[in-house]
Amino acid sequence: MPVRYFPVSFQEYYAGKKSSIFSRLRWVLIFPLFLSLGQQPALAQLPDYHLQFFDFASGVRPGTIQAVTRDHQGFLWILYPNSVQRYDGRSSRLFPMPGNDLGYIHCDENGRIWVGNNRQTWYFTEQQRSFKKVPLPTADSLNRRGMVFDMPNGELWQITVGGFYRLHPSLDSFVRIPDAVPVKTALNIRAFAQHEGTLFFISRGQLYRYKTGESRLDSLPERSIRKIMPVNSDSVLIHSWSTISYWYNFSKTTIHEALPPSQERPAHYKGAFSVRGLVNIGDSMAMIPSMEGLYEYNLITGKYRRLTLYYLGRPINSGDLANNIYADKDGYIWLTTVDGIARFPIQTQGIGLMRIKQLQDELPVGVDNIRSITEDKKGNLWLATGNGFVEWKRSSNKWDIHLPKEGSKTQLAFPSVRGIAYDGKYVILAPSDLGVWLYNPTDNSYRRPKYAQDSVRLHTERDFFDGLTTLKSGHHVFPGRDGLYVLDGRTYEMRQITSPADGENFDFAVQTRDGMIWVSTQGGLHLFNENMEYLQRINAPQPRLHITGGSVLNENEFLFARNDGMFTAKYENEKVVVNKFTSLVDGITMTSLYCDDKGFVWATSENGIYRIDIKRIN
């Protein structure tokens, strides 16, 4: 069945209150996955990055945002044509400025914020909580001025039509630098760039490169340049007034048009590649916003890749989204738009939320109510859901959904599957009613287990299972509302266990690597040995708080979730030591936990799946 997919604009998807820029849940992001009904796989394009957006509702003024920067205290400074806004994630302050033509904003190495137009330059003083004007010498006061920038020697320079100036240590004025560059003609202050000690500037039809440390000057012909974006001291990307973009390489003395291959461009774009900015994201990679989307560019291979951006769980059209791009020192990319500001982390997010039904209306209700996860020998994930079970082939990114068949006696009939396991042959299913099933993915067949007594069959087909756990022995534990059961991993025979915990409504069982088996009930936490022989009741802190999910973390630690967060427990010397694992998910009800061998905790909830990076949490 074909997937119906409706991409929408960034503005259409923005709704509701945004989280703080400094929210403790800044790694919680959303990305949906497309599925097809039945068992025909659907290929889902996972996003490269997930946007967090700040607009009027967040305290950021929409409109003509020229650029952004962050100071050493973490404040975000937003430049408009006639004002500057300082934003801390919760509140903002606006600083009106003279005129309507502010052209740049810069945070220098000392943390000072500079703004200016072609007539005046200001910096922000914390003492006065305002911007202070910094003039040129009186004799040069009519000299038109460009941006300020930091030099490797610690000096702050400014380009003007008449040459370069440095900031006087008193901060009272800029002073001329005689013979700063060996070019005597007027300089273009609108198109200028700097990479470390290398200056790129325009004069009399030439784009000059001047290496200040070597006092070396060379040039290439200027092609109606509007913006200069260096990637290193040899190569710059040029955006021209004709919208055509060029790569200039001074070492090779070459100029060629910047143009991604047709397979990386949207179908309706056939003309020039019109770029909006560039930031380096490593020694060999750069990120480029353009009229047709956000691109990643490999500086070594020269290859382009158009990135997929998601917002509020759905893909957005990033074409002409950003008019500027900025990379801060904390690893975030910031995009300025007409509606506000978007950001995303360059590195992989610590937590990601997947929603299966987000873009597929035909999928049944409950498919996102994921109760359990297991992994097969090929690395595929199997998900127990509120309406059947799902296979995710991670290597090919294909998804199969297996729906129940109501009233069937030969296959899964009850929708809600609470537990799932894989033993190398069968996917073992623990639905919340109508008994246990063994599913063979090789031939797509179902079978029932054997039973030690017929009473066990009757009990299991009427019991309510909350999950299942595979032990080191290969046997499987089924906690039920009315009893605790074990499925033999060799004979597939099911028997019932009796213990002092009977009658407490069993929730789940977890075995740590020391062989101990932790069993949670509505009445508390119990400990069994590796042979499922009862040991003792555990007097954990706040025992009335219900444990909703658990898994093995590291060697002998038991990771479990409650409504007040995630915790670890370790049994040593007949005592249990409990510690808080993370507070990032406090207040979120987790229905199951799974720790994979890649360093991630997968936590299921009624809203989807949370992925937690253990290294980042630590």
Side-chain angles (χ1 to χ4, degrees), residues 25 58 91 128 187 226 310 385 405 573 575:
L25 286 175
S58 306
S91 61
Q128 301 176 10
L187 307 182
R226 183 176 185 178
Y310 270 49
T385 84
K405 185 177 181 181
N573 301 322
K575 293 183 179 180

Side-chain angles (χ1 to χ4, degrees), residues 54 60-68 78-81 85 323-324 335-341:
F54 307 93
V60 173
R61 291 179 58 217
T64 308
I65 300 177
Q66 308 278 73
V68 296
I78 307 166
L79 182 71
Y80 301 87
Q85 185 180 21
N323 52 44
N324 210 316
L335 305 174
T336 64
T337 79
V338 295
D339 298 315
I341 296 169

